[in-house]
Amino acid sequence: MNAKEAALLLGVHYKTILNMINDGRLAASKNDSGDWVISESDLAAREQRIDDKEFVAIYTHLAVQMIEKAHHRAINAAKEELIHVARAMIKVKDNRNELNQQVKRLQNALDGYKAAEAFTLTVDSIKKQAESENH
């Protein structure tokens, strides 16, 4: 298998696999194309030798990825809700009661978007902390 496939299997970044190869923690050879080739048995053996620090780093990386994905989904959902409510407001512009309801809905959607955006700093902080602990 190649280094990218190994990274997926171990749940680490591609560069982590390259670092492991370069510092001798993972056996690999280059093929005629110059790509790294890692045998499944070497990868399995390496997996058995992962120490606690690497184990924590791998799972921290996965957790950060999950947080980033959830954050991205929350922002997109909030944006979509804002757009949906804005379109609904246009349709009911002549009906004061409906318009008032849509204004309240718009405020709720805006609050949701602001909350998702505010979490951006927290996500960035988590990511930076995880990166500094892994290097």
Side-chain angles (χ1 to χ4, degrees):
M1 77 181 64
N2 64 33
K4 288 184 181 181
E5 293 167 332
L8 284 172
L9 283 173
L10 288 182
V12 297
H13 193 276
Y14 170 72
K15 289 181 181 180
T16 301
I17 295 296
L18 296 180
N19 289 337
M20 292 168 71
I21 292 168
N22 288 330
D23 66 18
R25 291 180 287 157
L26 182 60
S29 59
K30 287 200 172 189
N31 63 16
D32 294 336
S33 302
D35 296 324
W36 286 109
V37 177
I38 304 160
S39 75
E40 289 182 22
S41 60
D42 286 337
L43 188 62
R46 176 66 202 138
E47 215 171 1
Q48 295 298 317
R49 294 190 313 262
I50 292 177
D51 62 23
D52 288 343
K53 185 177 178 183
E54 283 182 294
F55 185 77
V56 168
I58 289 168
Y59 282 94
T60 300
H61 176 75
L62 291 174
V64 168
Q65 283 184 329
M66 289 172 57
I67 290 168
E68 285 180 312
K69 286 179 184 176
H71 177 247
H72 184 69
R73 282 192 303 269
I75 287 177
N76 284 342
K79 285 178 183 177
E80 287 178 23
E81 178 65 7
L82 283 169
I83 291 168
H84 180 73
V85 173
R87 287 180 178 151
M89 289 178 74
I90 292 169
K91 291 178 183 176
V92 298
K93 66 182 180 193
D94 296 328
N95 183 332
R96 184 175 281 286
N97 286 336
E98 278 288 319
L99 188 59
N100 285 336
Q101 288 177 350
Q102 293 302 328
V103 167
K104 289 177 186 174
R105 191 170 162 210
L106 181 63
Q107 184 60 51
N108 289 337
L110 187 57
D111 290 344
Y113 178 76
K114 286 178 183 177
E117 270 297 320
F119 194 62
T120 300
L121 294 176
T122 303
V123 171
D124 290 344
S125 174
I126 290 168
K127 187 175 179 179
K128 286 178 186 173
Q129 182 178 356
E131 288 173 354
S132 69
E133 290 175 2
N134 291 334
H135 291 113

